[in-house]
Amino acid sequence: MNSFSKGALYVVATPIGNLDDLSRRAMDTLAQADLIAAEDTRHSVRLLDHIGVRVPLVSLHEHNETSRIERIRQALDEGQRVALISDAGTPLISDPGYRLVQALRAADYTIIPIPGPSALITALSAAGLPTERFLFEGFLPAKSSGRRQRLGDVVELPVTLVLYESPHRIRQLLEDIEIVCGERPVVIARELTKTFETFLQGTARELLERMAEDADQVRGEFVVMMAPAPEREHTDSSQIDADQLLSSLLEEGVGVKQSASVATRVLGGRKSDWYQRAQTLKDGKPSQ
Ligand code: SAM
C-alpha cells in the first residue's frame, strides 16, 4: 500500500460510468482520506458506499468553491488528507476544482493527482481521429449564436476538436457544426463505459439523420469530436470569391461577426474589413 502524505490535497479521478474503472490507488486514497470534497455529496455517497468508504464529506461545487477554499486550507493545515472528487471523471475537466487547486498551488500546498477516467481521453482513444494535436473546448455556449462563434474561431485549425454536450442540445450542436464546418468528419462517443456505449461517425448531417431514425441515439452523455481542417497546400485567396463565401455563410444563418471570423481565417486580411463587407452584403447594398 502507498503511504499517503499528511496535509495534502489529492485530486482523484472517478469512473465515468463503469464503477470497475475506479483504480486501486484511487480507492486507497479515498479510504485513507480524512475529508472528501465532492461536487454533489449525495451522488458521491453511492460510489463511496460501493467501495465501503466512510469518510466525512463536504460539498464543493461551482457556486460555493471560493468559500470552501478556506475550509479545505484549514483541514490541510491540521495535517488532514483531503480528497477532491467530482460527479464523474477527472475533477477540473469541465468540473469544479480549478479555483481550489489554483489557490492551494499558489500557497505551496502539496497537490497530488490520482489519474483515472476522463470522457475526453476515453473518447479520443477509440474515435480513430488524429490525436497528435487536439483542442478540448468542453461545453460550447448554450445559445446557438455563441456556439457558432466559437466553432467559427476554431474551424480552420489543423487539430482534432473535442466537445462535451448534453442530450438536450446535441442536435442543435450538430446543426451548428454543419453550418459552420460543412462536411467535416465527426465522431460521437455516447455513454462511454456504460451498457449502451456507441460510437457514430459521419458528417454532422449524416449523424442528424441517424438520430432522426433512432431516438435512442439522442439519449445519454456525449463527447463530440471533429476531424482537423484539411491541410491547405497554400491558400490562394484570389481563387476564392470572398463575396460568395460571405454570402453563403449569411444565407446559412451565420451571423455577420462569425462570417467575418471565418473569412479572416480562410482569406486572411483584417477582420474589421470582412465585418464591414459582410454587413454590406447582409443589408443588401450593391457591390462597391
Ligand atoms: N470531469 C468529467 C471528465 O473528466 O470527463 C466531465 C464532467 S462534465 C460535467 C460531463 C460531460 O462529460 C457530459 O455532459 C459528457 O459530455 C461528458 N461525459 C461524461 N461521462 C461521459 C460518458 N460516460 N460518455 C460520454 N460522455 C461523457
Side-chain angles (χ1 to χ4, degrees), residues 65-77 100:
E65 184 170 348
T66 307
S67 59
R68 280 290 188 244
I69 293 174
E70 207 35 53
R71 163 86 177 81
I72 290 171
R73 196 195 272 259
Q74 264 174 20
L76 296 173
D77 288 343
L100 172 68

Side-chain angles (χ1 to χ4, degrees), residues 16 86 88-90 93-95 117-120 139 164-166 189-194 221-223:
I16 55 170
S86 62
T90 303
I93 306 301
S94 292
D95 267 339
S118 183
L120 141 76
F139 291 95
Y164 282 169
E165 196 46 280
S166 66
R190 184 175 74 91
E191 293 291 86
L192 289 163
T193 77
K194 304 186 207 175
E221 299 191 279
F222 299 88
V223 181

Side-chain angles (χ1 to χ4, degrees), residues 6-9 35 37 58 60 65-83 99-111:
K6 285 204 154 285
L9 176 79
L35 180 69
V58 62
L60 183 139
E65 184 170 348
T66 307
S67 59
R68 280 290 188 244
I69 293 174
E70 207 35 53
R71 163 86 177 81
I72 290 171
R73 196 195 272 259
Q74 264 174 20
L76 296 173
D77 288 343
E78 287 164 15
Q80 293 190 25
R81 289 167 285 233
V82 180
R99 281 172 283 179
L100 172 68
V101 170
Q102 184 196 37
L104 295 180
R105 174 74 57 211
D108 263 343
Y109 283 86
T110 305
I111 303 166

Side-chain angles (χ1 to χ4, degrees), residues 17-285:
N18 188 328
L19 293 183
D20 288 344
D21 291 336
L22 187 70
S23 75
R24 174 69 191 270
R25 188 163 171 234
M27 241 183 291
D28 290 347
T29 305
L30 294 173
Q32 297 202 21
D34 300 299
L35 180 69
I36 296 177
E39 186 182 2
D40 176 346
T41 51
R42 277 177 306 178
H43 177 97
S44 294
V45 159
R46 288 200 289 274
L47 172 75
L48 298 173
D49 279 350
H50 177 78
I51 57 171
V53 165
R54 281 186 181 238
V55 167
L57 285 161
V58 62
S59 70
L60 183 139
H61 46 71
E62 210 189 325
H63 306 291
N64 73 355
E65 184 170 348
T66 307
S67 59
R68 280 290 188 244
I69 293 174
E70 207 35 53
R71 163 86 177 81
I72 290 171
R73 196 195 272 259
Q74 264 174 20
L76 296 173
D77 288 343
E78 287 164 15
Q80 293 190 25
R81 289 167 285 233
V82 180
L84 171 69
I85 57 176
S86 62
D87 286 353
T90 303
L92 279 77
I93 306 301
S94 292
D95 267 339
Y98 162 66
R99 281 172 283 179
L100 172 68
V101 170
Q102 184 196 37
L104 295 180
R105 174 74 57 211
D108 263 343
Y109 283 86
T110 305
I111 303 166
I112 301 170
I114 308 292
S118 183
L120 141 76
I121 300 297
T122 309
L124 266 181
S125 72
L129 290 173
T131 49
E132 216 164 77
R133 293 179 70 191
F134 62 85
L135 175 66
F136 177 57
E137 284 274 314
F139 291 95
L140 291 186
K143 282 194 180 164
S144 187
S145 55
R147 274 199 303 275
R148 290 179 189 185
Q149 170 80 54
R150 291 272 286 277
L151 287 167
D153 287 346
V154 298
V155 63
E156 288 303 320
L157 297 180
V159 302
T160 295
L161 177 68
V162 188
L163 304 171
Y164 282 169
E165 196 46 280
S166 66
H168 65 280
R169 273 202 284 271
I170 185 71
R171 277 183 281 218
Q172 288 104 303
L173 172 64
L174 290 171
E175 305 268 2
D176 291 333
I177 289 178
E178 188 191 16
I179 287 171
V180 180
C181 313
E183 304 212 323
R184 193 76 65 77
V186 173
V187 179
I188 295 185
R190 184 175 74 91
E191 293 291 86
L192 289 163
T193 77
K194 304 186 207 175
T195 312
F196 296 108
E197 178 178 280
T198 317
F199 281 80
L200 292 181
Q201 54 188 331
T203 62
R205 174 55 34 205
E206 287 164 349
L207 296 174
L208 280 162
E209 282 160 15
R210 277 296 298 275
M211 289 179 173
E213 285 161 11
D214 178 3
D216 284 344
Q217 298 305 328
V218 190
R219 293 186 222 287
E221 299 191 279
F222 299 88
V223 181
V224 177
M225 292 156 285
M226 185 173 80
E231 291 280 338
R232 288 177 203 287
E233 301 246 314
H234 61 242
T235 307
D236 183 355
S237 339
S238 62
Q239 303 273 312
I240 301 172
D241 184 326
D243 280 3
Q244 206 174 359
L245 173 69
L246 287 170
S247 302
S248 308
L249 289 164
L250 293 166
E251 275 163 28
E252 291 292 347
V254 180
V256 169
K257 201 166 154 197
Q258 293 150 248
S259 299
S261 291
V262 174
T264 312
R265 280 183 206 289
V266 176
L267 303 168
R270 287 196 329 196
K271 192 168 167 183
S272 55
D273 293 341
W274 292 125
Y275 184 90
Q276 269 187 359
R277 188 68 200 134
Q279 191 62 58
T280 305
L281 289 167
K282 190 171 182 207
D283 294 344
K285 293 189 188 141

